[in-house]
Amino acid sequence: MKVLHVFDHSIPLHSGYTFRSRSILKQQHALGIKTCHVTSPKHGNDEASIDVVDGLTFYRSAPTSGVMSKLPVLSQMANIAPMVKRILEVIEIEKPDVIHAHSPALNGLAALKAGRKSGLPVVYEIRAFWEDAAVDHGTCKEGDLRYRLTRKLETHVVKHADAVTTICEGLKNDLIARGFKQDKFTVIPNAVNVEQFDVIKEKNSQLEQSLNLMGCHVLGFLGSFYAYEGLDLLIEAMPDVLKNNANVRLLLVGGGPQEQNLKHQVSLLGLEDKVIFTGRVPHEEVGQYYSLVDLLVYPRKAMRLTDLVTPLKPLEAMAQGKIVLASDVGGHHELITDQQNGFLFEAGNVEHLSNKISELLANDELRESQILRGREYVEDIRNWPNSVKKYQPLYQQLSED
């Protein structure tokens, strides 16, 4: 069995593919599934080329050219033709059994065109609805023309793909509500490589001292600072939290579009010595920062994006033996069962958030009871071997039809 994966421009040039993609490909190889790989013109290469990353061969599509490539909206559609051409070239070389396109929908559309010409079945994988992410990023508004066109294109690709996978139940249920049959979808959930995470048993004392966190209860968030993450709500909760425990500090590791707004909010509230911004840190050092945190907080705001899509960070925290407190949006509900493998609070409710933080920081026994359960959850359920093995019967059925 050989699968041709079609990837997006979000695949970074320095590594060749994203974290989820890397985990999927490595696990597919462990299961005996051979793979080959095409990336879209958005990858940013100057010409059609071949790169080898981690022993895997990536065929890069040629860049776009002509008038269409320079026009708004149409420039996106201009990526399809060179991608179809590259996919068909790779099919001749690699002789795959199945084409597996990863969202966004433009990749799916190119895969469908190549699939029709080659007679190969197409699997389309959805990791998020891109129009909803665009709403949060401010590049479109819910219901405007760009939003509707993107949604319509996604629906078109889903309709014509031979099978569709999603990363969570929320995305699948939204598509079923559009009139598709349930048996068209397979959920391949986000997971972690458990063997890459050790349970953290002690703090990095040198880093703790350098950040002036000795003797403090540390709240933490490690990730990208997007508006939907709700970090402004967490900062807003800090004054009330500090009334109950003056030794609480908030550690924010990472960066993103909201960073300056968050720093301004901290300044307005006079919390400069209570909230620590580290900036982005090298991947190999992230574990040291995790070691300092007593409670990981994920205060995502309620909106379509957060209700439909599950994040990855809470799973990484559980794998390291960390306690998680998250808003009760739909995406978190798929990962966290309150008081079993973590804790939930009412999304958008700052008072409930601050009360929950104070309650958990004051109860060592309650927190400790969740550490083992969180680790067991990722060991037994949310690990990549469990997730990726669901592809195998799907590929097999499509290649035999």
Side-chain angles (χ1 to χ4, degrees), residues 24-243:
I24 288 172
L25 296 181
K26 287 187 175 181
Q27 193 56 44
Q28 286 192 351
H29 276 244
L31 292 170
I33 300 172
K34 298 178 181 178
T35 62
C36 48
H37 324 90
V38 169
T39 58
S40 88
K42 293 182 180 180
H43 184 79
N45 45 293
D46 295 328
E47 60 183 2
S49 62
I50 302 175
D51 294 334
V52 178
V53 183
D54 289 351
L56 302 173
T57 302
F58 291 85
Y59 295 86
R60 311 301 188 189
S61 299
T64 58
S65 59
V67 176
M68 273 186 66
S69 66
K70 297 177 174 59
L71 297 175
V73 181
L74 291 178
S75 64
Q76 301 296 313
M77 302 302 291
N79 289 302
I80 295 174
M83 204 178 343
V84 173
K85 182 174 184 293
R86 193 58 162 158
I87 293 171
L88 291 172
E89 289 171 351
V90 174
I91 287 172
E92 286 296 310
I93 297 168
E94 297 282 354
K95 310 297 184 187
D97 302 288
V98 176
I99 303 173
H100 181 154
H102 301 251
S103 60
L106 291 176
N107 292 344
L109 195 58
L112 288 175
K113 289 177 179 292
R116 282 198 295 268
K117 290 185 177 181
S118 64
L120 291 177
V122 174
V123 176
Y124 178 51
E125 177 162 324
I126 301 176
R127 304 182 182 189
F129 293 136
W130 289 69
E131 64 271 23
D132 293 326
V135 169
D136 183 77
H137 297 162
T139 54
C140 76
K141 295 180 180 180
E142 187 169 341
D144 70 9
L145 179 60
R146 180 176 178 180
Y147 185 97
R148 296 197 309 272
L149 287 175
T150 305
R151 181 181 172 90
K152 187 173 182 179
L153 180 59
E154 190 94 67
T155 302
H156 172 84
V157 174
V158 169
K159 178 180 179 180
H160 293 282
D162 296 282
V164 176
T165 72
T166 66
I167 68 166
C168 58
E169 295 289 336
L171 293 171
K172 182 189 79 170
N173 292 336
D174 187 87
L175 291 165
I176 291 172
R178 299 185 197 186
F180 293 108
K181 292 183 178 179
Q182 186 166 335
D183 61 6
K184 183 158 196 169
F185 304 99
T186 303
V187 175
I188 313 288
N190 269 337
V192 293
N193 293 307
V194 180
E195 67 279 0
Q196 293 182 359
F197 295 96
D198 294 324
V199 174
I200 298 173
K201 299 185 181 297
E202 59 184 25
K203 297 186 177 185
N204 183 307
S205 57
Q206 184 176 353
L207 184 59
E208 182 182 36
Q209 186 170 1
S210 71
L211 295 173
N212 199 25
L213 293 174
M214 300 83 69
C216 295
H217 280 135
V218 181
L219 309 176
F221 176 90
L222 293 85
S224 298
F225 300 170
Y226 292 112
Y228 63 80
E229 295 291 4
L231 296 178
D232 57 320
L233 303 177
L234 180 53
I235 291 171
E236 187 180 345
M238 281 296 289
D240 281 341
V241 172
L242 288 162
K243 288 178 184 177

Side-chain angles (χ1 to χ4, degrees), residues 253-300:
V253 181
Q258 293 298 309
E259 184 171 354
Q260 293 307 313
N261 290 339
L262 297 174
K263 287 181 176 179
H264 181 62
Q265 182 185 9
V266 167
S267 178
L268 289 177
L269 292 173
L271 297 172
E272 290 93 340
D273 60 338
K274 309 297 183 184
V275 181
I276 297 94
F277 290 88
T278 68
R280 300 185 188 276
V281 301
H283 179 72
E284 60 273 13
E285 297 178 14
V286 169
Q288 299 173 29
Y289 289 84
Y290 267 111
S291 80
L292 305 181
V293 180
D294 300 297
L295 178 64
L296 272 297
V297 186
Y298 304 98
R300 286 190 159 193

